[in-house]
Amino acid sequence: MPVAVMAGFIILIAKYIGIVKINHDFMEILTYHGIALGFIAMSLRVPEALSEAKKGTGFKSGAVIVSTYMVQGVTGLIITILLGYTFMPNMFKAAGLLLPMGYGQGPGQANNIGASYQSMGFAGGHSFGLAIAAMGYIVACVVGVILLNILRRSGKIKIEDVEAVEEENYTTDFFHSKGEMPISESIDKLSVQLAMVLLVYAVTYLVSRAITGGISAISAGLAGTVNTLIWGFNFIIGSALAMLLRVILENLRAGGIIDRQYQNNYLLNRLSGMFFDMMIVAGIACINLEDIRGLVVPFILLTVIGAVVTWLHLVRVCRVVYKDYYYEGLISMFGMLTGTISSGVILLREIDPGMRTPAANNLVTGSSFGILLGAPVLVLVGLAPKSDLMCIVTLILAALYLAVLLYIIYKVGRRNNNRKTTNLK
């Protein structure tokens, strides 16, 4: 289990034992800002020049990721709507959408959307979302390891020695790319990376404020629906601005205006890892178990059934998209779509420690395309809590969008496979 996850649970237990006192507002702030800062650091990285064997399938991986969000969302809504009309008439029916927020996107979005739903009348929504995200890590790290062992014992995969492969990978190029600013500079390399991340986040705040201010000026009713979601999904705006800055710097360098590459992928990876670890620890630590005492039944149903449908869905689509490295693609996607990218990489390293397949790269590039393909999720999340009818409409729309994504996955997958077969002939 990732150390950050264990740290979050240790603080959570210590809080209820009475060893430590937690400032929940501060923990929520860390969780909120951690997701955006982490995605900005990831998006600033300079794409590596990969061989044909490692290029992967960014767009199709994005479709796999978002289709899994839709499977989780449809499943979650079916569960909470059925509970709301049967055993739990006071159930907040849109709560099912916290399953893809917690499992698919992690504690950052579970925190944001859970808090948003709580303000709309879902008592305990904030802690409920974070609890689903915390259970997602347990599924990724515990169930994921069990699945690895089942596949290993059946002879379908082989567990490799991680340490032996790591020694081969740590070369100078791993830490420093050609053309980068030198280590011995008037300003430290890490300071430059942090400055770029914070600059992009400052612009993200200004852009988000301008958008929400413009919407408020046009329609107060629309602002009440959309503005909270824009602040909740601010990491999408931050990622887009970070990519824009990266393109600008590349063009300036190509045009001879600047002669150095200022991004260092190794340090940006470390920064994003630090921000995500901070988000994970704070997100788990600020769960209020009292808030979910009356939500035990939907919590168990969502997390257990959600894990099962996530695995079954990925078993089918990964066989189409990752035909040449099926198990690596399956295991890494399952780890990420119940936890985060880090848990996906942790599981992947057990069977592909040298990252010889494109599976690890698919997690990153797929997440980038997932931001674009996942834009309708913002609309669905805002639409569902409006009324019981809108919740059912959201369920139908999510199912339709899932059908579109599956069509893309299967059509593109078969076309590419047929093309490979033709080339071999």
Side-chain angles (χ1 to χ4, degrees):
M1 185 176 291
V3 174
V5 177
M6 288 191 290
F9 279 114
I10 289 171
I11 296 176
L12 181 64
I13 293 170
K15 177 179 71 174
Y16 279 94
I17 293 176
I19 297 176
V20 296
K21 290 185 178 180
I22 300 297
N23 185 325
H24 284 85
D25 291 338
F26 179 67
M27 288 295 181
E28 288 177 26
I29 289 170
L30 289 180
T31 306
Y32 175 77
H33 294 299
I35 185 173
L37 291 167
F39 270 99
I40 289 171
M42 284 179 58
S43 301
L44 280 171
R45 295 179 305 181
V46 178
E48 298 178 11
L50 299 173
S51 63
E52 288 296 322
K54 283 197 174 185
K55 278 189 177 177
T57 52
F59 178 75
K60 286 190 289 182
S61 294
V64 169
I65 291 169
V66 180
S67 70
T68 308
Y69 293 165
M70 293 297 102
V71 168
Q72 292 169 341
V74 168
T75 302
L77 284 175
I78 290 174
I79 292 171
T80 51
I81 289 174
L82 287 177
L83 287 174
Y85 282 112
T86 54
F87 304 104
M88 301 179 67
N90 294 324
M91 183 72 205
F92 189 80
K93 297 178 181 66
L97 287 177
L98 290 175
L99 178 59
M101 296 297 104
Y103 268 26
Q105 298 198 1
Q109 280 308 95
N111 173 77
N112 296 346
I113 303 305
S116 174
Y117 280 4
Q118 185 163 304
S119 67
M120 296 179 185
F122 181 23
H126 176 249
S127 292
F128 188 72
L130 289 173
I132 291 176
M135 182 57 71
Y137 285 114
I138 295 175
V139 170
C141 301
V142 177
V143 177
V145 170
I146 292 172
L147 291 170
L148 276 174
N149 280 282
I150 292 173
L151 292 173
R152 178 181 62 83
R153 290 176 181 175
S154 63
K156 294 178 180 177
I157 62 172
K158 180 182 178 182
I159 306 296
E160 297 189 42
D161 184 0
V162 177
E163 293 183 0
V165 178
E166 276 189 345
E167 292 178 0
E168 301 174 5
N169 291 339
Y170 290 155
T171 62
T172 304
D173 292 337
F174 181 81
F175 301 98
H176 180 88
S177 301
K178 185 178 180 181
E180 281 187 21
M181 59 178 291
I183 296 175
S184 55
E185 185 62 271
S186 57
I187 182 171
D188 187 78
K189 225 174 193 181
L190 178 60
S191 300
V192 173
Q193 314 310 308
L194 186 59
M196 286 190 290
V197 171
L198 295 178
L199 172 64
V200 172
Y201 198 36
V203 177
T204 300
Y205 168 76
L206 295 175
V207 170
S208 300
R209 187 171 180 177
I211 293 172
T212 53
I215 293 174
S216 297
I218 295 172
S219 170
L222 181 63
T225 303
V226 176
N227 284 4
T228 303
L229 294 174
I230 289 176
W231 288 112
F233 282 87
N234 69 335
F235 73 95
I236 295 179
I237 299 173
S239 296
L241 291 172
M243 293 177 189
L244 176 62
L245 176 59
R246 188 186 73 202
V247 171
I248 291 173
L249 291 174
E250 288 173 356
N251 289 332
L252 289 175
R253 192 179 177 202
I257 299 175
I258 60 175
D259 57 359
R260 291 174 179 172
Q261 175 184 306
Y262 289 95
Q263 303 104 300
N264 178 272
N265 285 357
Y266 172 75
L267 292 176
L268 287 171
N269 282 333
R270 302 285 69 76
L271 279 176
S272 65
M274 180 190 72
F275 290 131
F276 286 143
D277 284 344
M278 175 182 72
M279 174 192 71
I280 292 166
V281 173
I284 296 175
C286 70
I287 295 174
N288 279 323
L289 298 179
E290 296 88 351
D291 291 343
I292 62 173
R293 283 178 180 173
L295 299 168
V296 174
V297 172
F299 174 75
I300 293 174
L301 290 175
L302 285 173
T303 53
V304 174
I305 297 176
V308 173
V309 297
T310 298
W311 174 257
L312 294 177
H313 171 70
L314 289 173
V315 164
R316 294 184 65 85
V317 296
C318 289
R319 197 176 293 279
V320 175
V321 177
Y322 309 124
K323 188 176 180 181
D324 298 329
Y325 48 98
Y326 167 61
Y327 288 109
E328 290 84 355
L330 171 62
I331 289 297
S332 59
M333 281 292 172
F334 180 74
M336 183 177 77
L337 290 168
T338 51
T340 59
I341 287 180
S342 61
S343 52
V345 172
I346 286 170
L347 293 179
L348 175 64
R349 280 163 60 87
E350 293 297 319
I351 57 176
D352 186 20
M355 304 299 176
R356 298 183 182 92
T357 68
N361 191 57
N362 287 337
L363 298 180
V364 179
T365 58
S367 296
S368 299
F369 282 100
I371 290 174
L372 301 175
L373 292 171
V377 176
L378 188 150
V379 178
L380 297 177
V381 167
L383 185 64
K386 290 300 177 183
S387 66
D388 290 354
L389 176 60
M390 286 296 101
C391 195
I392 295 173
V393 170
T394 300
L395 172 61
I396 296 171
L397 292 175
L400 290 174
Y401 190 45
L402 171 61
V404 172
L405 292 168
L406 290 176
Y407 176 77
I408 292 171
I409 290 170
Y410 282 96
K411 183 178 179 180
V412 174
R414 287 198 185 102
R415 185 175 62 195
N416 288 349
N417 289 338
N418 291 336
R419 188 180 299 160
K420 287 181 181 179
T421 304
T422 303
N423 290 339
L424 287 173
K425 291 179 179 179

